[in-house]
Amino acid sequence: MDSKQSKNESSEVAGRIYDVSDYKREDPLSSGLARTHEQVSDTYAEGEIKAVIDDVNGRDIEIAKERSKKER
């Protein structure tokens, strides 16, 4: 593979963004994008483990995690 062809393929990979159809595709790039999208979505939906509110005075106020009725 010459450097021009390699550069074109790299640009193709770097320019790809997640698409819903990536879940159905079998190539490594699509499955990687789908997996990364899944992880980011899960992390975003879950939130932080130790969530805090930034106080105007620069102090962090920890938010207590409420337990569900099932956990009590």
Side-chain angles (χ1 to χ4, degrees), residues 11-54:
S11 295
E12 217 175 279
V13 170
R16 273 284 307 274
I17 59 172
Y18 165 76
D19 187 83
V20 177
S21 63
D22 287 330
Y23 279 102
K24 297 178 183 174
R25 294 185 182 156
E26 298 292 326
D27 63 288
L29 177 59
S30 295
S31 66
L33 286 169
R35 180 173 292 172
T36 302
H37 179 265
E38 183 82 21
Q39 291 171 342
V40 170
S41 296
D42 290 349
T43 301
Y44 180 75
E46 183 68 28
E48 292 187 34
I49 293 172
K50 191 172 182 181
V52 294
I53 298 174
D54 295 330

Side-chain angles (χ1 to χ4, degrees), residues 59-71:
R59 190 177 60 135
D60 289 340
I61 302 170
E62 189 172 334
I63 301 172
K65 183 177 178 183
E66 294 182 22
R67 295 187 319 175
S68 68
K69 290 181 181 180
K70 289 181 183 179
E71 294 177 333

